[in-house]
Amino acid sequence: MILTYPAGRKRVIYIPRDAESRLKHFSSGYPVIVVTGPRQSGKSTLVRHAFPDYRYVSLEDLDYREFAETDPRSFLNQFCNGAILDEVQRCPSLFSYLQTHIDESQQPGEYILTGSQQFGLLSGITQSLAGRAALLTLLPMSYGELERGGKIGKDLDQALFNGAFPPIFDRGLDPHPWHGNYVRTYLERDVRQLIRVQDLGSFQRFLRLCAGRTGQLLNLSSLANDCGITHNTAKAWISVLEASYILHLLPPHHQNFNKRLVKTPKLYFLDTGLAAWLLGVRNCAQLMAHPVRGALFETWVVSELLKARYNAGETPNLYFWRDRSGHEVDLLIDLGTHLVPLEIKSGQTLNRDFFSGLAFWQQMAGEVSGRAWLIYGGDSRQMRSSVSVLPWHEIHSEEFAA
């Protein structure tokens, strides 16, 4: 699908996003819809496609930002039929005036706000627009979206290497240099806006160390020591990367079944292509034999399940489970009444050992456990007595609710 912007702006190939239906649903009941997510995840393209008649203003533009900061009432009064305000966290003082404006107009879907940093954006929402705004998180594209758009096939290593940021597929770009430019032009700039990074080299080294630990328990002391920074600095940098939607910290599930549990979260990148670039992987051939390939596959599965949850307008319900004896389940999907265990293996050939963690969990959890799932790097679906085996490229064919 070709999306043509007015006034002679560039034409963009639009791949339909799963989040669009939820976005439109929210607009029928809330005066403000807030779309957050990492830079270049497609937020602006999504909202402009969903609301083509709305006036679009980017607050990255200095002229518009100055107008909004110096005369916010006049700035808001110019929008008669709805408006899209992009990167709205750049003007935090606007939120209070938005509250007064929408309370007077009482018009559903009047403002669509987007932002790429949780700190300034969500604090403004909770302070001024609580109860008036619906939140939607848009991560880079899911495998299902790319497959329906004809942008990706069933090559697992290619999918891991490419990642899922839309510009790579919209413009047919080489993923490796694009990810390098992304780190330099967006990630490092955003970090400098949020905290003072006196030594950029240390931060770049920190990013690479985090990439090497994707899928592992977060160990701030180890990260700080290896990077030559303090524990508090490592903690602050992790918070910034999480707020910028680069990392996700997967919490351990609290249900212990009389076992001593690990209480530390696991660190995951939200895009495998970005993690691969930080690890120095230059092509798929290198990735096939890379020692972190299994962790990248686990990262990919976690990010895909998070995307499905966010695209439906829901908060994450993913956890992991590990006790002090080393028994572990990669993911627990908490459905309220029961917990769905899910194991992740990158190998293409099924092995008996793949099922040992699930078997232990099911025996221990009893009726609390839903049907177990195994997602692996092969191509065949199987239905075993207690486990459903799912190939990686069919991850969007199930909702894991049974």
Side-chain angles (χ1 to χ4, degrees):
M1 182 181 299
I2 304 295
L3 174 63
T4 305
Y5 294 151
R9 293 189 179 184
K10 65 180 180 180
R11 305 173 75 202
V12 177
I13 298 175
Y14 179 71
I15 300 174
R17 304 299 300 266
D18 293 337
E20 185 168 343
S21 60
R22 181 56 58 178
L23 176 63
K24 291 181 176 178
H25 173 75
F26 282 155
S27 71
S28 65
Y30 292 86
V32 177
I33 301 92
V34 183
V35 182
T36 66
R39 287 188 180 273
Q40 298 289 298
S41 65
K43 300 183 297 297
S44 300
T45 304
L46 168 65
V47 298
R48 296 182 76 171
H49 181 267
F51 303 97
D53 297 328
Y54 279 30
R55 174 90 176 275
Y56 172 83
V57 173
S58 173
L59 291 173
E60 291 279 17
D61 187 299
L62 290 175
D63 291 335
Y64 282 122
R65 188 158 75 244
E66 182 184 14
F67 184 10
E69 290 173 341
T70 57
D71 193 355
R73 289 189 176 87
S74 297
F75 176 79
L76 293 175
N77 287 336
Q78 67 179 319
F79 308 119
C80 302
N81 299 309
I84 298 168
L85 304 182
D86 204 357
E87 297 296 343
V88 72
Q89 81 278 352
R90 301 283 286 162
C91 186
S93 61
L94 194 61
F95 290 111
S96 296
Y97 294 92
L98 269 170
Q99 174 190 342
T100 303
H101 186 88
I102 62 177
D103 285 348
E104 292 176 352
S105 63
Q106 296 291 316
Q107 180 181 335
E110 185 173 6
Y111 289 99
I112 314 297
L113 312 181
T114 77
S116 55
Q117 295 172 3
Q118 292 187 52
F119 285 149
L121 183 60
L122 295 189
S123 62
I125 298 301
T126 55
Q127 291 175 14
S128 302
L129 299 176
R132 303 168 178 85
L135 301 177
L136 186 70
T137 301
L138 187 72
L139 296 181
M141 304 191 76
S142 70
Y143 177 80
E145 290 169 338
L146 290 170
E147 187 180 40
R148 289 194 302 271
K151 296 294 183 179
I152 199 166
K154 292 182 173 60
D155 185 327
L156 174 56
D157 290 303
Q158 191 70 57
L160 297 178
F161 178 73
N162 286 349
F165 279 98
I168 293 172
F169 303 93
D170 292 344
R171 308 169 199 164
L173 301 177
D174 185 343
H176 185 74
W178 188 89
H179 287 117
N181 290 327
Y182 183 87
V183 170
R184 288 185 289 270
T185 58
Y186 291 106
L187 186 50
E188 291 175 359
R189 186 190 73 168
D190 286 350
V191 168
R192 286 178 169 178
Q193 289 177 353
L194 290 172
I195 57 175
R196 291 185 177 181
V197 178
Q198 297 179 349
D199 184 354
L200 187 56
S202 293
F203 180 73
Q204 292 170 339
R205 186 163 57 253
F206 183 81
L207 282 174
R208 289 179 167 83
L209 289 170
C210 287
R213 288 164 167 80
T214 187
Q216 297 182 18
L217 292 175
L218 174 63
N219 188 329
L220 286 173
S221 296
S222 173
L223 275 171
N225 290 335
D226 290 349
C227 194
I229 58 177
T230 67
H231 182 279
N232 287 339
T233 298
K235 185 177 181 179
W237 287 359
I238 286 289
S239 297
V240 169
L241 293 173
E242 191 178 14
S244 301
Y245 301 95
I246 302 301
L247 300 180
H248 176 76
L249 298 184
L250 185 71
H253 201 272
H254 54 80
Q255 196 149 350
N256 59 25
F257 303 101
N258 297 320
K259 298 282 185 178
R260 293 183 62 199
L261 296 184
V262 171
K263 299 180 181 180
T264 305
K266 291 176 74 173
L267 180 152
Y268 287 96
F269 267 69
L270 285 171
D271 186 77
T272 57
L274 184 59
W277 183 87
L278 289 167
L279 290 168
V281 179
R282 300 183 64 85
N283 52 56
C284 287
Q286 291 181 352
L287 183 59
M288 291 174 63
H290 202 283
V292 189
R293 182 181 182 273
L296 285 177
F297 178 65
E298 184 177 330
T299 297
W300 182 85
V301 172
V302 170
S303 66
E304 289 295 305
L305 295 179
L306 285 172
K307 290 171 189 177
R309 189 74 176 173
Y310 283 136
N311 288 339
E314 303 285 350
T315 56
N317 63 344
L318 302 181
Y319 303 85
F320 76 96
W321 185 90
R322 180 187 293 183
D323 66 19
R324 298 288 184 180
S325 300
H327 300 107
E328 181 178 11
V329 176
D330 289 331
L331 283 177
L332 287 180
I333 305 174
D334 193 338
L335 299 177
T337 57
H338 58 283
L339 303 169
V340 176
L342 191 151
E343 194 72 12
I344 305 167
K345 300 294 182 183
S346 62
Q348 297 184 21
T349 304
L350 291 173
N351 186 301
R352 182 180 299 176
D353 293 339
F354 288 3
F355 302 90
S356 59
L358 293 172
F360 179 86
W361 162 263
Q362 289 178 308
Q363 183 179 10
M364 179 191 59
E367 295 181 355
V368 174
S369 177
R371 182 170 183 81
W373 293 83
L374 172 69
I375 299 179
Y376 78 119
D379 296 320
S380 301
R381 177 192 284 256
Q382 294 184 13
M383 293 293 292
R384 302 204 175 191
S385 58
S386 60
V387 180
S388 297
V389 179
L390 195 67
W392 68 275
H393 52 77
E394 293 187 21
I395 190 170
H396 290 284
S397 66
E398 299 290 344
E399 295 184 357
F400 306 104

PDB file of all heavy atoms in Angstrom, residues 323-337:
ATOM      1  N   ASP A 323      14.201 -21.682  39.606  1.00  0.00           N
ATOM      2  CA  ASP A 323      14.461 -21.854  41.035  1.00  0.00           C
ATOM      3  C   ASP A 323      15.962 -21.952  41.281  1.00  0.00           C
ATOM      4  O   ASP A 323      16.766 -21.969  40.345  1.00  0.00           O
ATOM      5  CB  ASP A 323      13.696 -23.060  41.609  1.00  0.00           C
ATOM      6  CG  ASP A 323      14.184 -24.401  41.047  1.00  0.00           C
ATOM      7  OD1 ASP A 323      15.314 -24.460  40.512  1.00  0.00           O
ATOM      8  OD2 ASP A 323      13.432 -25.383  41.139  1.00  0.00           O
ATOM      9  N   ARG A 324      16.331 -22.008  42.554  1.00  0.00           N
ATOM     10  CA  ARG A 324      17.744 -22.010  42.922  1.00  0.00           C
ATOM     11  C   ARG A 324      18.448 -23.316  42.550  1.00  0.00           C
ATOM     12  O   ARG A 324      19.674 -23.382  42.557  1.00  0.00           O
ATOM     13  CB  ARG A 324      17.882 -21.774  44.425  1.00  0.00           C
ATOM     14  CG  ARG A 324      17.334 -20.441  44.900  1.00  0.00           C
ATOM     15  CD  ARG A 324      18.230 -19.300  44.468  1.00  0.00           C
ATOM     16  NE  ARG A 324      17.753 -18.017  45.011  1.00  0.00           N
ATOM     17  CZ  ARG A 324      18.341 -16.859  44.804  1.00  0.00           C
ATOM     18  NH1 ARG A 324      19.434 -16.810  44.064  1.00  0.00           N
ATOM     19  NH2 ARG A 324      17.842 -15.746  45.317  1.00  0.00           N
ATOM     20  N   SER A 325      17.667 -24.339  42.226  1.00  0.00           N
ATOM     21  CA  SER A 325      18.252 -25.621  41.839  1.00  0.00           C
ATOM     22  C   SER A 325      18.568 -25.694  40.351  1.00  0.00           C
ATOM     23  O   SER A 325      19.100 -26.697  39.886  1.00  0.00           O
ATOM     24  CB  SER A 325      17.302 -26.770  42.220  1.00  0.00           C
ATOM     25  OG  SER A 325      17.068 -26.773  43.620  1.00  0.00           O
ATOM     26  N   GLY A 326      18.204 -24.671  39.596  1.00  0.00           N
ATOM     27  CA  GLY A 326      18.494 -24.646  38.171  1.00  0.00           C
ATOM     28  C   GLY A 326      17.343 -25.048  37.282  1.00  0.00           C
ATOM     29  O   GLY A 326      17.476 -25.013  36.049  1.00  0.00           O
ATOM     30  N   HIS A 327      16.200 -25.435  37.838  1.00  0.00           N
ATOM     31  CA  HIS A 327      15.022 -25.718  37.020  1.00  0.00           C
ATOM     32  C   HIS A 327      14.477 -24.405  36.464  1.00  0.00           C
ATOM     33  O   HIS A 327      14.379 -23.404  37.191  1.00  0.00           O
ATOM     34  CB  HIS A 327      13.945 -26.420  37.842  1.00  0.00           C
ATOM     35  CG  HIS A 327      14.389 -27.737  38.413  1.00  0.00           C
ATOM     36  ND1 HIS A 327      14.664 -27.906  39.741  1.00  0.00           N
ATOM     37  CD2 HIS A 327      14.627 -28.940  37.816  1.00  0.00           C
ATOM     38  CE1 HIS A 327      15.037 -29.154  39.957  1.00  0.00           C
ATOM     39  NE2 HIS A 327      15.038 -29.804  38.812  1.00  0.00           N
ATOM     40  N   GLU A 328      14.098 -24.421  35.206  1.00  0.00           N
ATOM     41  CA  GLU A 328      13.722 -23.156  34.552  1.00  0.00           C
ATOM     42  C   GLU A 328      12.684 -23.396  33.461  1.00  0.00           C
ATOM     43  O   GLU A 328      12.681 -24.439  32.797  1.00  0.00           O
ATOM     44  CB  GLU A 328      14.961 -22.502  33.943  1.00  0.00           C
ATOM     45  CG  GLU A 328      14.687 -21.167  33.257  1.00  0.00           C
ATOM     46  CD  GLU A 328      15.946 -20.535  32.708  1.00  0.00           C
ATOM     47  OE1 GLU A 328      17.002 -21.211  32.662  1.00  0.00           O
ATOM     48  OE2 GLU A 328      15.881 -19.357  32.311  1.00  0.00           O
ATOM     49  N   VAL A 329      11.809 -22.417  33.302  1.00  0.00           N
ATOM     50  CA  VAL A 329      10.918 -22.326  32.146  1.00  0.00           C
ATOM     51  C   VAL A 329      11.173 -20.962  31.517  1.00  0.00           C
ATOM     52  O   VAL A 329      11.139 -19.942  32.209  1.00  0.00           O
ATOM     53  CB  VAL A 329       9.431 -22.471  32.552  1.00  0.00           C
ATOM     54  CG1 VAL A 329       8.528 -22.268  31.345  1.00  0.00           C
ATOM     55  CG2 VAL A 329       9.182 -23.835  33.173  1.00  0.00           C
ATOM     56  N   ASP A 330      11.442 -20.941  30.207  1.00  0.00           N
ATOM     57  CA  ASP A 330      11.827 -19.698  29.550  1.00  0.00           C
ATOM     58  C   ASP A 330      10.767 -18.619  29.686  1.00  0.00           C
ATOM     59  O   ASP A 330      11.079 -17.455  29.951  1.00  0.00           O
ATOM     60  CB  ASP A 330      12.101 -19.956  28.060  1.00  0.00           C
ATOM     61  CG  ASP A 330      13.377 -20.755  27.840  1.00  0.00           C
ATOM     62  OD1 ASP A 330      14.293 -20.647  28.686  1.00  0.00           O
ATOM     63  OD2 ASP A 330      13.455 -21.489  26.845  1.00  0.00           O
ATOM     64  N   LEU A 331       9.502 -18.986  29.510  1.00  0.00           N
ATOM     65  CA  LEU A 331       8.419 -18.010  29.605  1.00  0.00           C
ATOM     66  C   LEU A 331       7.218 -18.618  30.317  1.00  0.00           C
ATOM     67  O   LEU A 331       6.881 -19.790  30.104  1.00  0.00           O
ATOM     68  CB  LEU A 331       7.963 -17.550  28.215  1.00  0.00           C
ATOM     69  CG  LEU A 331       8.833 -16.546  27.465  1.00  0.00           C
ATOM     70  CD1 LEU A 331       8.239 -16.276  26.085  1.00  0.00           C
ATOM     71  CD2 LEU A 331       8.968 -15.249  28.240  1.00  0.00           C
ATOM     72  N   LEU A 332       6.585 -17.812  31.144  1.00  0.00           N
ATOM     73  CA  LEU A 332       5.262 -18.122  31.678  1.00  0.00           C
ATOM     74  C   LEU A 332       4.325 -17.021  31.222  1.00  0.00           C
ATOM     75  O   LEU A 332       4.600 -15.839  31.437  1.00  0.00           O
ATOM     76  CB  LEU A 332       5.280 -18.187  33.204  1.00  0.00           C
ATOM     77  CG  LEU A 332       5.947 -19.392  33.872  1.00  0.00           C
ATOM     78  CD1 LEU A 332       5.843 -19.263  35.390  1.00  0.00           C
ATOM     79  CD2 LEU A 332       5.311 -20.693  33.411  1.00  0.00           C
ATOM     80  N   ILE A 333       3.238 -17.401  30.575  1.00  0.00           N
ATOM     81  CA  ILE A 333       2.222 -16.449  30.147  1.00  0.00           C
ATOM     82  C   ILE A 333       1.099 -16.488  31.174  1.00  0.00           C
ATOM     83  O   ILE A 333       0.418 -17.506  31.327  1.00  0.00           O
ATOM     84  CB  ILE A 333       1.702 -16.791  28.740  1.00  0.00           C
ATOM     85  CG1 ILE A 333       2.868 -16.871  27.757  1.00  0.00           C
ATOM     86  CG2 ILE A 333       0.683 -15.749  28.278  1.00  0.00           C
ATOM     87  CD1 ILE A 333       2.466 -17.338  26.365  1.00  0.00           C
ATOM     88  N   ASP A 334       0.946 -15.416  31.909  1.00  0.00           N
ATOM     89  CA  ASP A 334      -0.014 -15.360  33.012  1.00  0.00           C
ATOM     90  C   ASP A 334      -1.379 -14.952  32.478  1.00  0.00           C
ATOM     91  O   ASP A 334      -1.592 -13.810  32.056  1.00  0.00           O
ATOM     92  CB  ASP A 334       0.468 -14.356  34.066  1.00  0.00           C
ATOM     93  CG  ASP A 334      -0.315 -14.478  35.366  1.00  0.00           C
ATOM     94  OD1 ASP A 334      -1.448 -14.991  35.335  1.00  0.00           O
ATOM     95  OD2 ASP A 334       0.216 -14.057  36.411  1.00  0.00           O
ATOM     96  N   LEU A 335      -2.316 -15.893  32.482  1.00  0.00           N
ATOM     97  CA  LEU A 335      -3.667 -15.628  31.993  1.00  0.00           C
ATOM     98  C   LEU A 335      -4.661 -15.448  33.123  1.00  0.00           C
ATOM     99  O   LEU A 335      -5.864 -15.494  32.907  1.00  0.00           O
ATOM    100  CB  LEU A 335      -4.122 -16.778  31.075  1.00  0.00           C
ATOM    101  CG  LEU A 335      -3.254 -16.989  29.831  1.00  0.00           C
ATOM    102  CD1 LEU A 335      -3.754 -18.187  29.030  1.00  0.00           C
ATOM    103  CD2 LEU A 335      -3.248 -15.744  28.959  1.00  0.00           C
ATOM    104  N   GLY A 336      -4.166 -15.235  34.327  1.00  0.00           N
ATOM    105  CA  GLY A 336      -5.043 -14.990  35.464  1.00  0.00           C
ATOM    106  C   GLY A 336      -5.455 -16.269  36.156  1.00  0.00           C
ATOM    107  O   GLY A 336      -5.143 -16.496  37.324  1.00  0.00           O
ATOM    108  N   THR A 337      -6.161 -17.141  35.440  1.00  0.00           N
ATOM    109  CA  THR A 337      -6.622 -18.395  36.031  1.00  0.00           C
ATOM    110  C   THR A 337      -5.563 -19.486  35.954  1.00  0.00           C
ATOM    111  O   THR A 337      -5.598 -20.448  36.720  1.00  0.00           O
ATOM    112  CB  THR A 337      -7.897 -18.880  35.326  1.00  0.00           C
ATOM    113  OG1 THR A 337      -7.630 -19.033  33.919  1.00  0.00           O
ATOM    114  CG2 THR A 337      -9.025 -17.877  35.518  1.00  0.00           C
TER     115      THR A 337
END
